[in-house]
Amino acid sequence: MREQEYLKNVVTLKLDQKKCTGCRRCVEVCPHNVFDIKNKKAKIVDKNACMECGACEKNCPAKAIEVKAGVGCAAAMVTGFLRGTAPTCDCSGDSGSCCS
Amino acid sequence: MENIKRVSTELTFQDKFQSTLVRWGVGRMVHKIDPGIYAVNNPTKDSPVFVSANYKLSFDALRKELKGIDAFIMVIDTKGINVWCAAGKGTFGTDEIVNRIEKTKLKEIVSHRKIILPQLGAPGTSAHELQKKSGFQVVYGPVRASDIPAFLKVGMKVTPQMREVTFNLSDRIHLIPMELVAAAKYVLVVIFAFYMISILTGKTDAGVRAAINVLLAYFAGAVLGPIMLPRLPGKSFSMKGFFVGLIVVGASCSFNWIGRGPAEIFSWMLMMPAISSMILMNFTGASTYASPSGVQKEMRIAVPLQLAAIGFGLFLWLIERLFGV
Ligand code: SF4
Ligand code: SF4
């Protein structure tokens, strides 16, 4: 079992197997081994481990993957909410707490 | 190859010292690496090309692992931000890499057409688009630079372990300085406010207790929380932060710092876990597994509770100050 487990059944990850060509890119880029290739098609094997980083969607040449990517940072969401913008990480200044 | 800058694979004392400063948030922007091509050892036209962010820690982590390996490093301009964060923002992105390949005339430097990107850059880069635009095929390297020698040895293959982002104790401990720095200014303001009110209402000792209790909650959220993370009950960070806050409430009680009257005692029992919950909730951003959808969900529940606890706690504390309950 993974050491860390976050909230279940919340992620926005979707895979359209019909479009998939089985190129393996999603398997290569996912930092949480969410995908596997079965019968020459990608398969989501561990959906709850997805952190919605967006790497798979961005690197799928067949556009078979959809995920609402973003930064999972509470401070960023508060700032985004207050400013009415999308959540952003403040990593440009000297105080970026989201990014090390 | 004559005009290509050369870098060592040894980190000097100065490098290490600067890294420490960067971790504590001091002068981050000063430690940018100039974008361009760097040679490591004695690369030839067939040597591998690694792409790096121009954040000093990323660059150092990479070159340190290239001992005895002839290679090029192409540093791209991520505005001095690390790969992961830059990828999220898009500064570590397809276009910047394509442009950098043009600008550095990489096609003349190497004869092959392959570049190795850090896997953590993948949220910002699109391998197939990059190949279309630049002619270079993309290989995603391992997450940790320390796996690079093994990755090269087996012909640029990455095992599932090399692909997986961890968040182990040492990863978390490294993030503690940032957490402390991020919350420090709020903590100081809050302590100052409690202290002033205590002085004005004629009871300095309540102000001292306030300072201690706030500091304990801060310590719980920014230090104990990250260390104990997997051991704390609950899945959401705010819940874990609440429990770690209870630990320091216990500590404060046993040292008799929690308060004098029932109102003051109860006020800190409400406020301390709420404060540490807020601080640890912020750790979701540094964690490498919290999904934004999850964070949003937990915040919708946790933030109102945290605010209510702090509001009610503050009310009790002020009542005690003003009417001495
Ligand atoms: S990247 Fe897209 S096409 Fe390739 S295996 Fe994954 S889902 Fe299929
Ligand atoms: S969004 Fe990121 S974590 Fe989620 S499946 Fe895609 S690559 Fe993996």
Side-chain angles (χ1 to χ4, degrees):
Chain A
M1 206 194 79
R2 288 189 302 274
E3 197 187 25
Q4 280 91 16
E5 219 174 273
Y6 197 47
L7 310 189
K8 284 203 168 96
N9 306 323
V10 286
V11 294
T12 52
L13 180 70
K14 278 197 203 88
L15 165 70
D16 183 353
Q17 278 194 328
K18 282 196 290 298
K19 291 188 189 160
C20 173
T21 59
C23 73
R24 289 197 76 84
R25 258 313 178 196
C26 51
V27 178
E28 282 171 25
V29 296
C30 178
H32 290 291
N33 293 316
V34 169
F35 294 96
D36 199 0
I37 303 285
K38 299 243 166 86
N39 303 324
K40 299 197 178 133
K41 291 270 185 192
K43 189 168 186 272
I44 297 175
V45 289
D46 194 1
K47 188 165 177 176
N48 288 324
C50 172
M51 65 176 296
E52 299 180 320
C53 70
C56 52
E57 178 187 70
K58 193 118 191 178
N59 284 278
C60 173
K63 293 197 168 39
I65 302 170
E66 235 180 90
V67 59
K68 213 172 127 243
V71 281
C73 167
M77 286 187 190
V78 172
T79 338
F81 176 75
L82 294 176
R83 290 199 196 128
T85 57
T88 50
C89 240
D90 173 26
C91 0
S92 50
D94 277 357
S95 64
S97 68
C98 299
C99 320
S100 61
Chain B
M1 309 265 152
E2 311 75 48
N3 47 13
I4 293 178
K5 276 167 280 181
R6 218 162 246 287
V7 283
S8 160
T9 55
E10 298 293 335
L11 299 190
T12 61
F13 173 73
Q14 199 192 356
D15 290 326
K16 289 178 192 160
F17 180 65
Q18 283 184 347
S19 301
T20 310
L21 288 184
V22 173
R23 275 197 213 292
W24 282 90
V26 181
R28 259 172 187 249
M29 304 318 289
V30 187
H31 307 302
K32 278 197 231 174
I33 308 290
D34 287 330
I37 302 266
Y38 294 81
V40 183
N41 297 313
N42 298 297
T44 66
K45 275 183 164 323
D46 301 316
S47 299
V49 180
F50 290 90
V51 178
S52 165
N54 72 336
Y55 177 60
K56 181 164 172 60
L57 294 191
S58 310
F59 183 70
D60 282 356
L62 174 59
R63 68 187 168 99
K64 176 162 77 71
E65 300 303 334
L66 294 175
K67 290 194 179 76
I69 296 169
D70 300 323
F72 294 102
I73 300 179
M74 184 171 83
V75 174
I76 66 168
D77 187 5
T78 59
K79 318 268 181 256
I81 299 172
N82 73 60
V83 174
W84 178 251
C85 206
K89 291 199 137 190
T91 41
F92 191 101
T94 312
D95 291 340
E96 165 59 18
I97 297 175
V98 171
N99 289 340
R100 198 56 61 185
I101 288 174
E102 295 294 320
K103 260 192 215 153
T104 55
K105 302 203 170 63
L106 185 63
K107 285 193 167 158
E108 293 165 28
I109 296 171
V110 291
S111 53
H112 62 81
R113 292 290 173 265
K114 209 182 244 182
I115 50 173
I116 303 165
L117 302 195
Q119 187 204 316
L120 289 187
T125 54
S126 173
H128 51 283
E129 266 179 45
L130 210 151
Q131 176 158 26
K132 221 184 294 162
K133 289 181 182 165
S134 71
F136 278 82
Q137 188 198 337
V138 172
V139 178
Y140 283 109
V143 165
R144 282 161 294 274
S146 55
D147 284 329
I148 285 176
F151 159 80
L152 290 177
K153 211 171 274 165
V154 294
M156 299 196 189
K157 288 269 181 312
V158 180
T159 63
Q161 285 74 26
M162 291 185 195
R163 278 198 288 264
E164 178 144 22
V165 171
T166 56
F167 201 48
N168 57 32
L169 185 60
S170 115
D171 297 329
R172 300 195 302 270
I173 287 177
H174 274 119
L175 290 164
I176 289 176
M178 284 322 280
E179 293 303 301
L180 283 171
V181 172
K185 55 176 188 277
Y186 304 103
V187 169
L188 287 177
V189 170
V190 168
I191 289 178
F192 180 76
F194 273 114
Y195 201 72
M196 286 318 285
I197 297 173
S198 302
I199 291 180
L200 291 176
T201 53
K203 267 270 191 69
T204 331
D205 64 314
V208 175
R209 285 194 296 274
I212 292 173
N213 288 333
V214 172
L215 281 176
L216 280 174
Y218 170 53
F219 175 77
V223 181
L224 277 187
I227 291 176
M228 298 172 62
L229 199 67
R231 308 273 161 269
L232 292 166
K235 292 222 168 95
S236 68
F237 284 59
S238 40
M239 179 85 90
K240 289 170 184 285
F242 171 80
F243 281 108
V244 82
L246 289 184
I247 297 178
V248 287
V249 166
S252 183
C253 285
S254 60
F255 286 99
N256 219 357
W257 292 327
I258 191 94
R260 289 294 170 259
E264 190 187 354
I265 291 175
F266 196 54
S267 78
W268 286 116
M269 288 182 168
L270 281 170
M271 287 191 284
M272 288 170 73
I275 294 171
S276 55
S277 170
M278 275 184 160
I279 296 177
L280 192 61
M281 195 175 71
N282 202 36
F283 201 55
T284 49
S287 88
T288 48
Y289 69 96
S291 61
S293 298
V295 176
Q296 224 163 23
K297 184 178 174 192
E298 80 164 272
M299 283 178 75
R300 253 194 306 256
I301 303 163
V303 173
L305 288 175
Q306 290 162 347
L307 292 179
I310 288 178
F312 191 53
L314 204 55
F315 174 74
L316 285 175
W317 189 83
L318 286 171
I319 292 224
E320 194 277 338
R321 289 290 71 245
L322 297 173
F323 307 107
V325 179

